[in-house]
Amino acid sequence: MVNLTEDLFSQVNAVLAEWNPIGVPEGTAEDEYQSYVPFLVESWNLSQDVEPAMVWVYTQPLGYDVNPAFSRATRQFATQINQLLQAQDDA
């Protein structure tokens, strides 16, 4: 089980800001997605994969439709977050 530390929060939030699926301006993406960090960690603790949670964030609260480019990018960034969380889980 992964506990959300301040350092881990910052790391996951940085990946989400880079993911930036709705294209908010650089410098504001760090604020835009930070409320989803605890949700992603909770999802990881349940399934060891954040990609479905990231798709949910994009389609439900943000209201966008999934497309192939989104799916490829999300898979890449989900893998980065999964690796961060796995490292914490193994620690």
Side-chain angles (χ1 to χ4, degrees):
M1 179 169 189
V2 172
N3 294 312
L4 186 56
T5 63
E6 188 176 321
D7 185 51
L8 181 59
F9 181 95
S10 295
Q11 291 176 44
V12 172
N13 194 47
V15 176
L16 290 178
E18 188 179 348
W19 174 53
N20 192 10
I22 62 172
V24 297
E26 190 173 327
T28 60
E30 291 80 8
D31 295 332
E32 181 70 25
Y33 307 108
Q34 67 183 349
S35 65
Y36 300 113
V37 173
F39 173 66
L40 294 181
V41 172
E42 181 181 325
S43 296
W44 165 265
N45 283 332
L46 294 172
S47 68
Q48 284 68 54
D49 184 12
V50 299
E51 186 174 351
M54 291 172 73
V55 171
W56 181 87
V57 164
Y58 184 72
T59 59
Q60 298 305 312
L62 298 180
Y64 291 89
D65 293 324
V66 172
N67 61 56
F70 164 82
S71 295
R72 282 189 302 277
T74 299
R75 189 169 307 113
Q76 173 190 349
F77 290 110
T79 297
Q80 290 179 33
I81 294 172
N82 284 337
Q83 289 171 345
L84 286 170
L85 298 174
Q86 181 65 54
Q88 291 295 312
D89 207 19
D90 290 343

Coordinates of all heavy atoms in Angstrom, one line a residue:
M1 N 0.8 -1.2 0.0 CA 0.0 0.0 0.0 C 0.9 1.2 0.0 O 1.8 1.3 0.8 CB -0.9 0.0 1.2 CG -1.8 1.2 1.3 SD -3.0 1.0 2.5 CE -4.0 2.3 2.2
V2 N 0.5 2.2 -0.9 CA 1.3 3.4 -1.0 C 0.6 4.5 -0.2 O -0.6 4.7 -0.2 CB 1.4 3.8 -2.5 CG1 2.0 5.2 -2.6 CG2 2.1 2.8 -3.3
N3 N 1.5 5.2 0.7 CA 1.0 6.3 1.4 C 1.4 7.6 0.7 O 2.6 7.7 0.2 CB 1.6 6.3 2.8 CG 1.0 5.2 3.6 OD1 -0.2 4.9 3.6 ND2 1.9 4.4 4.3
L4 N 0.6 8.5 0.6 CA 0.8 9.7 -0.2 C 1.6 10.7 0.7 O 1.1 11.4 1.6 CB -0.5 10.4 -0.7 CG -0.3 11.6 -1.6 CD1 0.5 11.2 -2.8 CD2 -1.7 12.1 -2.0
T5 N 2.9 10.8 0.4 CA 3.8 11.7 1.1 C 3.8 13.0 0.3 O 3.4 13.1 -0.9 CB 5.2 11.2 1.2 OG1 5.8 11.0 -0.1 CG2 5.2 9.9 2.0
E6 N 4.4 14.1 0.8 CA 4.5 15.3 0.1 C 5.4 15.2 -1.1 O 5.1 15.7 -2.2 CB 5.1 16.4 1.1 CG 5.1 17.8 0.5 CD 5.6 18.8 1.5 OE1 5.2 18.7 2.7 OE2 6.3 19.7 1.1
D7 N 6.5 14.4 -1.0 CA 7.4 14.2 -2.1 C 6.7 13.4 -3.2 O 6.8 13.8 -4.4 CB 8.7 13.5 -1.6 CG 9.7 13.3 -2.7 OD1 10.0 14.3 -3.3 OD2 10.2 12.2 -2.9
L8 N 6.0 12.4 -2.8 CA 5.3 11.6 -3.8 C 4.2 12.4 -4.5 O 4.1 12.3 -5.7 CB 4.7 10.3 -3.2 CG 4.0 9.4 -4.2 CD1 4.9 8.9 -5.3 CD2 3.4 8.2 -3.4
F9 N 3.5 13.2 -3.7 CA 2.5 14.1 -4.3 C 3.1 15.0 -5.4 O 2.6 15.1 -6.5 CB 1.9 15.0 -3.2 CG 0.8 15.9 -3.7 CD1 -0.5 15.5 -3.7 CD2 1.1 17.1 -4.3 CE1 -1.5 16.4 -4.1 CE2 0.2 18.0 -4.7 CZ -1.2 17.6 -4.7
S10 N 4.3 15.6 -5.1 CA 5.0 16.5 -6.0 C 5.4 15.7 -7.3 O 5.3 16.2 -8.4 CB 6.2 17.1 -5.4 OG 5.8 17.9 -4.3
Q11 N 5.9 14.5 -7.1 CA 6.3 13.7 -8.3 C 5.2 13.3 -9.2 O 5.3 13.5 -10.4 CB 7.0 12.4 -7.8 CG 8.4 12.7 -7.1 CD 9.0 11.4 -6.6 OE1 9.0 10.4 -7.3 NE2 9.5 11.5 -5.4
V12 N 4.1 12.8 -8.6 CA 2.9 12.5 -9.4 C 2.3 13.7 -10.1 O 2.0 13.7 -11.2 CB 1.9 11.7 -8.5 CG1 0.6 11.5 -9.3 CG2 2.4 10.4 -8.0
N13 N 2.2 14.8 -9.3 CA 1.6 16.0 -9.9 C 2.5 16.5 -11.0 O 1.9 17.0 -12.0 CB 1.5 17.1 -8.8 CG 0.7 18.2 -9.2 OD1 -0.4 18.0 -9.7 ND2 1.1 19.4 -9.0
A14 N 3.8 16.4 -11.0 CA 4.7 16.8 -12.1 C 4.4 16.0 -13.3 O 4.4 16.5 -14.4 CB 6.1 16.7 -11.7
V15 N 4.1 14.7 -13.2 CA 3.8 13.9 -14.3 C 2.5 14.3 -14.9 O 2.3 14.4 -16.1 CB 3.8 12.4 -14.0 CG1 3.4 11.5 -15.2 CG2 5.2 11.9 -13.5
L16 N 1.5 14.5 -14.0 CA 0.2 15.0 -14.5 C 0.3 16.3 -15.2 O -0.4 16.5 -16.3 CB -0.8 15.1 -13.3 CG -1.3 13.8 -12.7 CD1 -2.2 14.1 -11.5 CD2 -1.9 12.9 -13.7
A17 N 1.1 17.2 -14.8 CA 1.3 18.5 -15.4 C 1.9 18.3 -16.8 O 1.5 19.0 -17.8 CB 2.1 19.4 -14.6
E18 N 2.8 17.4 -16.9 CA 3.4 17.1 -18.2 C 2.4 16.4 -19.1 O 2.3 16.7 -20.3 CB 4.6 16.2 -18.0 CG 5.4 16.0 -19.3 CD 6.6 15.1 -19.1 OE1 7.0 14.8 -17.9 OE2 7.2 14.7 -20.1
W19 N 1.5 15.5 -18.6 CA 0.5 14.8 -19.3 C -0.5 15.9 -19.9 O -0.8 15.9 -21.1 CB -0.3 13.9 -18.4 CG -1.5 13.2 -18.9 CD1 -1.6 12.4 -20.1 CD2 -2.7 13.1 -18.3 NE1 -2.9 11.9 -20.2 CE2 -3.6 12.3 -19.1 CE3 -3.3 13.6 -17.1 CZ2 -4.9 12.0 -18.7 CZ3 -4.6 13.3 -16.7 CH2 -5.4 12.5 -17.5
N20 N -1.0 16.8 -19.1 CA -1.8 17.9 -19.5 C -2.8 17.7 -20.6 O -2.6 18.3 -21.7 CB -0.9 19.1 -19.8 CG -1.6 20.4 -19.9 OD1 -2.8 20.5 -19.6 ND2 -0.9 21.4 -20.3
P21 N -3.7 16.8 -20.5 CA -4.5 16.3 -21.6 C -5.5 17.4 -22.1 O -5.9 17.3 -23.3 CB -5.4 15.2 -21.0 CG -5.5 15.5 -19.6 CD -4.1 16.1 -19.2
I22 N -5.7 18.5 -21.4 CA -6.6 19.5 -21.9 C -5.8 20.7 -22.4 O -6.4 21.7 -22.8 CB -7.7 19.9 -20.9 CG1 -7.2 20.5 -19.6 CG2 -8.6 18.7 -20.6 CD1 -8.2 21.0 -18.7
G23 N -4.5 20.7 -22.2 CA -3.6 21.7 -22.8 C -3.7 23.1 -22.1 O -3.7 24.1 -22.7
V24 N -3.8 23.0 -20.7 CA -3.8 24.3 -20.0 C -2.4 24.9 -20.2 O -1.4 24.2 -20.4 CB -4.2 24.2 -18.5 CG1 -5.6 23.7 -18.4 CG2 -3.2 23.3 -17.8
P25 N -2.3 26.2 -20.1 CA -1.0 26.9 -20.2 C 0.1 26.4 -19.3 O -0.2 26.0 -18.1 CB -1.3 28.4 -20.0 CG -2.7 28.5 -20.2 CD -3.3 27.2 -19.8
E26 N 1.3 26.3 -19.8 CA 2.5 25.9 -19.0 C 2.5 26.8 -17.7 O 2.3 28.0 -17.8 CB 3.7 26.1 -19.7 CG 4.9 25.4 -19.0 CD 6.2 25.4 -19.9 OE1 6.1 25.3 -21.1 OE2 7.3 25.6 -19.3
G27 N 2.8 26.2 -16.6 CA 2.8 27.0 -15.3 C 1.5 26.9 -14.6 O 1.5 27.0 -13.3
T28 N 0.4 26.6 -15.2 CA -0.8 26.4 -14.5 C -1.2 24.9 -14.4 O -2.1 24.6 -13.7 CB -2.0 27.2 -15.2 OG1 -2.2 26.8 -16.5 CG2 -1.7 28.7 -15.1
A29 N -0.6 24.1 -15.2 CA -0.9 22.7 -15.2 C -0.7 22.0 -13.9 O -1.4 21.1 -13.5 CB -0.2 21.9 -16.3
E30 N 0.3 22.5 -13.2 CA 0.6 22.0 -11.8 C -0.5 22.2 -10.9 O -0.8 21.3 -10.0 CB 1.9 22.6 -11.2 CG 3.2 22.3 -11.9 CD 3.4 23.0 -13.2 OE1 2.7 24.0 -13.5 OE2 4.3 22.7 -14.0
D31 N -1.3 23.3 -11.0 CA -2.4 23.5 -10.2 C -3.7 22.8 -10.7 O -4.5 22.4 -9.9 CB -2.7 25.0 -10.1 CG -1.6 25.8 -9.4 OD1 -0.9 25.2 -8.6 OD2 -1.5 27.0 -9.8
E32 N -3.8 22.7 -12.0 CA -5.0 22.1 -12.7 C -5.3 20.7 -12.2 O -6.4 20.4 -12.0 CB -4.8 22.2 -14.2 CG -6.0 21.7 -15.0 CD -7.2 22.6 -14.9 OE1 -7.1 23.8 -14.6 OE2 -8.4 22.1 -15.0
Y33 N -4.3 19.9 -12.1 CA -4.5 18.5 -11.9 C -4.2 18.0 -10.5 O -4.4 16.8 -10.2 CB -3.7 17.7 -13.0 CG -3.9 18.1 -14.4 CD1 -3.0 18.8 -15.1 CD2 -5.2 17.9 -15.0 CE1 -3.2 19.3 -16.4 CE2 -5.4 18.3 -16.2 CZ -4.5 19.0 -17.0 OH -4.7 19.4 -18.2
Q34 N -3.7 18.8 -9.6 CA -3.2 18.4 -8.3 C -4.4 17.7 -7.5 O -4.1 16.8 -6.7 CB -2.5 19.5 -7.6 CG -3.4 20.6 -7.1 CD -2.6 21.7 -6.4 OE1 -1.5 21.5 -6.1 NE2 -3.2 22.9 -6.3
S35 N -5.6 18.1 -7.7 CA -6.7 17.6 -6.9 C -6.9 16.1 -7.3 O -7.6 15.4 -6.5 CB -8.0 18.3 -7.1 OG -8.4 18.2 -8.5
Y36 N -6.4 15.6 -8.4 CA -6.5 14.2 -8.8 C -5.5 13.3 -8.2 O -5.6 12.1 -8.3 CB -6.6 14.1 -10.3 CG -7.7 14.9 -10.9 CD1 -7.5 16.0 -11.7 CD2 -9.1 14.5 -10.6 CE1 -8.6 16.7 -12.2 CE2 -10.1 15.3 -11.1 CZ -9.9 16.4 -11.9 OH -10.9 17.1 -12.4
V37 N -4.4 13.8 -7.7 CA -3.3 13.0 -7.2 C -3.8 12.0 -6.1 O -3.5 10.8 -6.3 CB -2.1 13.9 -6.7 CG1 -1.1 13.0 -6.0 CG2 -1.5 14.7 -7.8
P38 N -4.5 12.4 -5.1 CA -5.0 11.4 -4.1 C -5.8 10.3 -4.7 O -5.7 9.1 -4.4 CB -5.8 12.2 -3.1 CG -5.2 13.6 -3.2 CD -4.9 13.8 -4.7
F39 N -6.7 10.7 -5.7 CA -7.5 9.7 -6.4 C -6.7 8.7 -7.1 O -7.0 7.5 -7.1 CB -8.5 10.5 -7.4 CG -9.3 9.6 -8.2 CD1 -10.2 8.7 -7.7 CD2 -9.1 9.6 -9.6 CE1 -11.0 7.9 -8.6 CE2 -9.8 8.8 -10.5 CZ -10.8 7.9 -9.9
L40 N -5.6 9.1 -7.8 CA -4.7 8.2 -8.5 C -4.0 7.3 -7.6 O -3.9 6.1 -7.9 CB -3.7 9.0 -9.4 CG -4.3 9.8 -10.5 CD1 -3.2 10.5 -11.3 CD2 -5.2 8.9 -11.4
V41 N -3.6 7.8 -6.4 CA -2.9 6.9 -5.5 C -3.9 5.9 -4.9 O -3.5 4.7 -4.8 CB -2.2 7.8 -4.4 CG1 -1.7 6.9 -3.2 CG2 -1.1 8.6 -4.9
E42 N -5.1 6.3 -4.6 CA -6.1 5.4 -4.1 C -6.4 4.3 -5.2 O -6.5 3.2 -4.9 CB -7.4 6.2 -3.8 CG -8.5 5.3 -3.3 CD -9.8 6.2 -3.0 OE1 -9.6 7.3 -2.6 OE2 -10.9 5.6 -3.2
S43 N -6.5 4.7 -6.4 CA -6.7 3.8 -7.5 C -5.6 2.8 -7.6 O -5.8 1.6 -7.8 CB -6.9 4.5 -8.8 OG -8.0 5.3 -8.8
W44 N -4.3 3.3 -7.5 CA -3.2 2.4 -7.5 C -3.3 1.4 -6.4 O -3.0 0.2 -6.6 CB -1.9 3.2 -7.3 CG -0.7 2.3 -7.0 CD1 -0.2 2.1 -5.7 CD2 0.0 1.5 -7.9 NE1 0.8 1.2 -5.8 CE2 1.0 0.8 -7.1 CE3 0.0 1.3 -9.2 CZ2 1.9 -0.1 -7.7 CZ3 0.9 0.4 -9.8 CH2 1.8 -0.3 -9.0
N45 N -3.7 1.8 -5.2 CA -3.7 0.9 -4.0 C -4.8 -0.2 -4.3 O -4.7 -1.3 -3.7 CB -4.0 1.7 -2.8 CG -2.8 2.4 -2.2 OD1 -1.7 2.0 -2.4 ND2 -3.0 3.5 -1.5
L46 N -5.8 0.1 -5.1 CA -6.8 -0.9 -5.4 C -6.5 -1.8 -6.5 O -6.8 -3.0 -6.5 CB -8.2 -0.2 -5.7 CG -8.8 0.6 -4.5 CD1 -10.0 1.4 -5.0 CD2 -9.2 -0.4 -3.4
S47 N -5.8 -1.3 -7.6 CA -5.6 -2.1 -8.8 C -4.2 -2.1 -9.3 O -3.9 -2.8 -10.3 CB -6.5 -1.6 -9.9 OG -6.1 -0.3 -10.3
Q48 N -3.2 -1.4 -8.7 CA -1.9 -1.3 -9.2 C -1.8 -0.8 -10.6 O -0.8 -1.1 -11.4 CB -1.1 -2.6 -9.1 CG -0.7 -2.9 -7.6 CD -1.9 -3.2 -6.7 OE1 -2.7 -4.0 -7.0 NE2 -2.0 -2.5 -5.6
D49 N -2.7 0.1 -11.1 CA -2.7 0.7 -12.4 C -3.5 2.0 -12.4 O -4.7 1.9 -12.0 CB -3.3 -0.3 -13.4 CG -3.1 0.3 -14.9 OD1 -2.4 1.3 -15.1 OD2 -3.8 -0.3 -15.7
V50 N -2.9 3.1 -12.7 CA -3.6 4.4 -12.7 C -4.2 4.7 -14.0 O -5.0 5.7 -14.1 CB -2.7 5.5 -12.2 CG1 -2.2 5.3 -10.8 CG2 -1.6 5.8 -13.1
E51 N -3.9 4.0 -15.1 CA -4.5 4.4 -16.4 C -6.0 4.5 -16.4 O -6.5 5.5 -16.9 CB -4.0 3.5 -17.5 CG -4.4 3.9 -18.9 CD -3.8 3.1 -20.0 OE1 -2.9 2.3 -19.7 OE2 -4.2 3.3 -21.1
P52 N -6.7 3.5 -15.9 CA -8.2 3.7 -15.9 C -8.7 4.9 -15.1 O -9.6 5.6 -15.6 CB -8.7 2.4 -15.2 CG -7.6 1.4 -15.4 CD -6.3 2.2 -15.4
A53 N -8.0 5.2 -14.1 CA -8.4 6.4 -13.3 C -8.1 7.7 -14.1 O -8.8 8.7 -14.0 CB -7.6 6.4 -12.0
M54 N -7.0 7.7 -14.8 CA -6.6 8.9 -15.7 C -7.7 9.0 -16.8 O -8.1 10.1 -17.1 CB -5.2 8.7 -16.2 CG -4.2 8.9 -15.1 SD -2.5 8.5 -15.7 CE -2.1 9.9 -16.7
V55 N -8.1 7.9 -17.4 CA -9.1 8.0 -18.4 C -10.4 8.5 -17.8 O -11.1 9.4 -18.4 CB -9.4 6.6 -19.1 CG1 -10.6 6.6 -20.0 CG2 -8.1 6.2 -19.8
W56 N -10.8 8.1 -16.6 CA -12.0 8.6 -15.9 C -11.9 10.1 -15.7 O -12.8 10.8 -15.9 CB -12.2 7.8 -14.6 CG -13.4 8.3 -13.9 CD1 -14.7 7.8 -14.0 CD2 -13.5 9.3 -12.9 NE1 -15.5 8.5 -13.3 CE2 -14.9 9.4 -12.5 CE3 -12.6 10.2 -12.3 CZ2 -15.3 10.4 -11.6 CZ3 -13.0 11.1 -11.4 CH2 -14.4 11.2 -11.1
V57 N -10.7 10.6 -15.2 CA -10.5 12.0 -15.0 C -10.8 12.8 -16.2 O -11.5 13.8 -16.2 CB -9.1 12.3 -14.4 CG1 -8.8 13.8 -14.5 CG2 -9.0 11.8 -13.0
Y58 N -10.3 12.3 -17.3 CA -10.4 13.0 -18.6 C -11.8 13.0 -19.1 O -12.3 14.0 -19.7 CB -9.5 12.3 -19.6 CG -9.4 13.0 -21.0 CD1 -8.7 14.2 -21.2 CD2 -9.9 12.4 -22.1 CE1 -8.6 14.8 -22.4 CE2 -9.8 12.9 -23.4 CZ -9.2 14.1 -23.5 OH -9.1 14.7 -24.7
T59 N -12.5 11.9 -19.0 CA -13.9 11.7 -19.6 C -15.0 12.2 -18.6 O -16.0 12.7 -19.1 CB -14.2 10.3 -20.0 OG1 -14.1 9.4 -18.8 CG2 -13.2 9.8 -21.1
Q60 N -14.8 12.1 -17.3 CA -15.9 12.4 -16.4 C -15.9 13.9 -16.0 O -16.6 14.7 -16.5 CB -16.0 11.4 -15.3 CG -16.3 10.0 -15.8 CD -17.5 9.9 -16.6 OE1 -18.6 10.4 -16.3 NE2 -17.4 9.2 -17.8
P61 N -15.0 14.2 -15.0 CA -15.0 15.6 -14.5 C -14.6 16.6 -15.6 O -15.1 17.7 -15.6 CB -14.1 15.6 -13.3 CG -13.4 14.3 -13.3 CD -14.1 13.4 -14.2
L62 N -13.7 16.2 -16.4 CA -13.2 17.1 -17.5 C -14.1 17.1 -18.7 O -14.2 18.1 -19.5 CB -11.8 16.9 -17.8 CG -10.8 17.0 -16.7 CD1 -9.4 16.7 -17.2 CD2 -10.8 18.4 -16.1
G63 N -14.8 16.0 -18.9 CA -15.9 15.9 -20.0 C -15.4 15.7 -21.4 O -16.1 16.1 -22.4
Y64 N -14.2 15.2 -21.6 CA -13.7 15.0 -23.0 C -13.9 13.6 -23.5 O -14.1 12.7 -22.7 CB -12.2 15.3 -23.0 CG -11.9 16.8 -22.8 CD1 -11.7 17.3 -21.5 CD2 -11.8 17.7 -23.9 CE1 -11.5 18.7 -21.3 CE2 -11.6 19.0 -23.7 CZ -11.4 19.5 -22.4 OH -11.2 20.8 -22.2
D65 N -13.8 13.4 -24.8 CA -13.9 12.1 -25.4 C -12.5 11.5 -25.6 O -11.6 12.3 -26.0 CB -14.6 12.2 -26.7 CG -16.1 12.5 -26.6 OD1 -16.7 12.1 -25.6 OD2 -16.6 13.3 -27.4
V66 N -12.4 10.2 -25.5 CA -11.1 9.5 -25.7 C -10.8 9.4 -27.2 O -11.8 9.1 -28.0 CB -11.1 8.2 -25.0 CG1 -9.9 7.3 -25.4 CG2 -11.2 8.3 -23.5
N67 N -9.6 9.6 -27.6 CA -9.2 9.4 -29.0 C -7.8 8.6 -29.0 O -7.2 8.5 -27.9 CB -9.1 10.7 -29.8 CG -8.1 11.6 -29.2 OD1 -6.9 11.3 -29.0 ND2 -8.5 12.8 -28.8
P68 N -7.4 8.1 -30.1 CA -6.1 7.3 -30.1 C -4.9 8.1 -29.6 O -4.1 7.5 -28.9 CB -6.0 7.0 -31.6 CG -7.4 6.9 -32.2 CD -8.1 8.1 -31.4
A69 N -4.8 9.4 -30.0 CA -3.6 10.1 -29.5 C -3.7 10.3 -28.0 O -2.7 10.2 -27.3 CB -3.6 11.5 -30.1
F70 N -4.9 10.5 -27.4 CA -5.0 10.6 -26.0 C -4.6 9.3 -25.3 O -3.9 9.2 -24.3 CB -6.5 11.0 -25.6 CG -6.8 10.7 -24.2 CD1 -6.4 11.6 -23.2 CD2 -7.4 9.5 -23.8 CE1 -6.7 11.3 -21.8 CE2 -7.7 9.2 -22.5 CZ -7.3 10.2 -21.5
S71 N -5.1 8.2 -25.9 CA -4.9 6.9 -25.3 C -3.4 6.6 -25.3 O -2.9 6.0 -24.3 CB -5.6 5.8 -26.1 OG -7.0 6.0 -26.0
R72 N -2.6 6.9 -26.4 CA -1.2 6.6 -26.4 C -0.5 7.5 -25.3 O 0.4 7.0 -24.6 CB -0.6 6.9 -27.8 CG -0.9 5.9 -28.8 CD -0.1 6.1 -30.1 NE -0.4 7.4 -30.7 CZ -1.5 7.6 -31.5 NH1 -2.3 6.6 -31.8 NH2 -1.7 8.8 -32.0
A73 N -0.8 8.8 -25.3 CA -0.1 9.6 -24.3 C -0.5 9.2 -22.9 O 0.4 9.2 -22.0 CB -0.6 11.1 -24.6
T74 N -1.7 8.9 -22.7 CA -2.1 8.5 -21.3 C -1.4 7.2 -20.9 O -1.0 7.1 -19.7 CB -3.7 8.4 -21.2 OG1 -4.2 9.6 -21.6 CG2 -4.1 8.0 -19.9
R75 N -1.3 6.3 -21.8 CA -0.6 5.0 -21.4 C 0.8 5.3 -21.0 O 1.3 4.8 -20.1 CB -0.7 4.1 -22.6 CG -0.2 2.7 -22.3 CD -0.5 1.7 -23.4 NE -1.9 1.7 -23.8 CZ -2.4 2.1 -25.0 NH1 -1.6 2.6 -25.9 NH2 -3.7 2.1 -25.2
Q76 N 1.5 6.2 -21.8 CA 2.9 6.6 -21.5 C 3.0 7.3 -20.1 O 3.8 6.9 -19.3 CB 3.4 7.6 -22.5 CG 4.7 8.1 -22.2 CD 5.1 9.3 -23.2 OE1 4.5 9.5 -24.2 NE2 6.2 10.0 -22.9
F77 N 2.1 8.2 -19.8 CA 2.2 8.9 -18.5 C 1.7 8.1 -17.4 O 2.2 8.1 -16.3 CB 1.5 10.3 -18.6 CG 2.2 11.3 -19.4 CD1 1.7 11.6 -20.7 CD2 3.4 11.8 -19.0 CE1 2.3 12.6 -21.5 CE2 4.1 12.7 -19.8 CZ 3.5 13.1 -21.1
A78 N 0.7 7.2 -17.6 CA 0.3 6.3 -16.6 C 1.4 5.3 -16.2 O 1.6 5.0 -15.0 CB -0.9 5.5 -17.1
T79 N 2.2 4.9 -17.2 CA 3.3 4.0 -16.9 C 4.3 4.7 -16.0 O 4.8 4.1 -15.1 CB 4.0 3.6 -18.2 OG1 3.0 2.8 -19.0 CG2 5.2 2.7 -18.0
Q80 N 4.6 6.0 -16.3 CA 5.5 6.7 -15.4 C 5.0 6.8 -14.0 O 5.7 6.6 -13.0 CB 5.7 8.2 -15.9 CG 6.5 8.2 -17.2 CD 6.6 9.7 -17.7 OE1 6.7 10.6 -16.9 NE2 6.6 9.9 -19.0
I81 N 3.7 7.1 -13.8 CA 3.1 7.2 -12.5 C 3.1 5.8 -11.8 O 3.4 5.7 -10.6 CB 1.7 7.8 -12.5 CG1 1.8 9.3 -13.0 CG2 1.0 7.7 -11.2 CD1 0.5 9.9 -13.3
N82 N 2.7 4.8 -12.6 CA 2.7 3.4 -12.0 C 4.1 3.1 -11.5 O 4.2 2.4 -10.4 CB 2.3 2.4 -13.1 CG 0.8 2.4 -13.3 OD1 0.0 2.8 -12.5 ND2 0.4 2.0 -14.5
Q83 N 5.1 3.4 -12.2 CA 6.5 3.1 -11.8 C 6.9 3.9 -10.5 O 7.5 3.3 -9.6 CB 7.5 3.4 -12.9 CG 7.4 2.5 -14.1 CD 8.2 2.9 -15.3 OE1 8.7 4.0 -15.4 NE2 8.4 2.0 -16.2
L84 N 6.5 5.2 -10.4 CA 6.7 5.9 -9.2 C 6.0 5.2 -8.0 O 6.6 5.1 -6.9 CB 6.2 7.3 -9.3 CG 6.9 8.3 -10.2 CD1 6.1 9.6 -10.4 CD2 8.3 8.6 -9.5
L85 N 4.8 4.9 -8.2 CA 4.0 4.3 -7.1 C 4.5 2.9 -6.8 O 4.5 2.5 -5.6 CB 2.5 4.3 -7.5 CG 1.9 5.6 -7.6 CD1 0.5 5.5 -8.1 CD2 2.0 6.5 -6.4
Q86 N 4.9 2.1 -7.8 CA 5.5 0.8 -7.5 C 6.7 0.9 -6.7 O 6.9 0.1 -5.8 CB 5.8 0.1 -8.8 CG 6.3 -1.3 -8.6 CD 5.3 -2.3 -8.0 OE1 4.2 -2.4 -8.5 NE2 5.7 -2.9 -6.9
A87 N 7.6 1.9 -7.0 CA 8.8 2.1 -6.2 C 8.5 2.4 -4.8 O 9.2 1.9 -3.8 CB 9.6 3.2 -6.8
Q88 N 7.4 3.1 -4.5 CA 7.0 3.5 -3.1 C 6.4 2.2 -2.5 O 6.6 2.0 -1.3 CB 6.0 4.6 -3.1 CG 6.5 5.9 -3.5 CD 7.6 6.4 -2.5 OE1 7.4 6.4 -1.3 NE2 8.7 6.9 -3.1
D89 N 5.7 1.5 -3.2 CA 5.1 0.2 -2.7 C 6.1 -0.8 -2.3 O 6.0 -1.5 -1.3 CB 4.1 -0.4 -3.7 CG 3.0 -1.2 -3.1 OD1 2.7 -1.0 -1.9 OD2 2.4 -1.9 -3.9
D90 N 7.2 -0.8 -3.0 CA 8.3 -1.8 -2.8 C 9.2 -1.3 -1.6 O 9.9 -2.1 -1.0 CB 9.2 -2.0 -4.0 CG 8.5 -2.7 -5.1 OD1 7.4 -3.4 -4.8 OD2 8.9 -2.7 -6.3
A91 N 9.2 0.0 -1.3 CA 10.1 0.5 -0.3 C 9.7 0.1 1.1 O 8.6 -0.3 1.5 CB 10.1 2.0 -0.4

